[in-house]
Amino acid sequence: FILKPSLTGRGAGIYVFDTRERLEELLEREFASDDEDSDDEDSDDKDDSTDQQHMGSMLSSHQAVSQIREWVIQRYINRPLLLSARNNRKFHIRTYVLAAGDLNVYVYRQMLALFAPSPYTQSASDLGDQRAHLTNTCLQAKLSGFDEAQAVDLFWNLELPEDKLEHVFDQICCIMKDTFAAVASESTSFQAWGNCIEQFGFDFLVDENYTAFMLEANAYPDFKQTGEGLKSVVEGFMAASVAVAAEKFLLDPELVPSELREMMDTDRKDLVKVFAHKNERKW
């Protein structure tokens, strides 16, 4: 299983475990005072302490994580899709999603693949090796020898047959449709306003059978994960979002000049509409 604090980002406080005893140990350590925590790390788990020290400069402060009282436990996908051309390193897919009005949802086709720095193994003895298990680039950026080109690439550049890539993308679109259908009428957890747009970052993992699993939703996506080399992905997503917003909120479709219409169509060509819902709530 994988344990995540509910209110942190950038990979802070994430652990992989496979026994109840290990879970209890992790939670006790996180909830302990700084002094108690230091004693526990020195005496109880030398290997894990070494791993944490290795990644320590990239994580948020332990004191901040220790204040979290809500955690998420997910089943760990222990047989992820691995590519020999990428040195069998685990990766996840970052998908940018646009929600417009109340409610149209679009998946941006130009997705990212973010890789862990070390090759993946399924050995239980390696569960503490964050370099093999965690794919968040925020944990890697300050490591010596960090190579952005090795850490992040376009999903469509992966060494896979075209039909496999399309199969994964189709699954992601279906998951997004089901996700927003589930929350569209739940005003206590999700409020879609008719005059707003919202951008999300969703993360997915693909297993060895090419099945896509949603890992998490980010209401405030960290666009820095895209890196300098692929910043055109973010720029394209922003341009597509502006084109949707302009047509929906600002422009009279009957009065849009053909040149502007052509430019807007080009900007949003990589947006795939996956969900449409008319919210009938009265505020």
Side-chain angles (χ1 to χ4, degrees), residues 62-112:
H62 182 78
Q63 183 177 7
V65 174
S66 68
Q67 302 304 311
I68 302 297
R69 290 299 181 267
E70 293 181 352
W71 298 73
V72 175
I73 296 177
Q74 293 176 304
R75 180 170 66 88
Y76 189 65
I77 310 301
N78 68 336
R79 292 184 178 273
L81 178 63
L82 303 174
L83 303 175
S84 59
R86 308 285 178 146
N87 199 25
N88 290 324
R89 291 176 296 140
K90 179 182 172 183
F91 68 93
H92 81 267
I93 299 168
R94 164 52 63 92
T95 304
Y96 293 122
V97 175
L98 175 68
D102 61 351
L103 175 71
N104 292 317
V105 179
Y106 306 83
V107 171
Y108 191 56
R109 187 174 172 84
Q110 300 305 320
M111 305 186 299
L112 303 171

Side-chain angles (χ1 to χ4, degrees), residues 158-173:
L158 296 180
E159 294 79 4
L160 291 170
E162 187 70 21
D163 63 320
K164 296 296 186 184
L165 293 171
E166 291 289 352
H167 175 61
V168 171
F169 180 71
D170 288 346
Q171 291 180 75
I172 288 174
C173 289

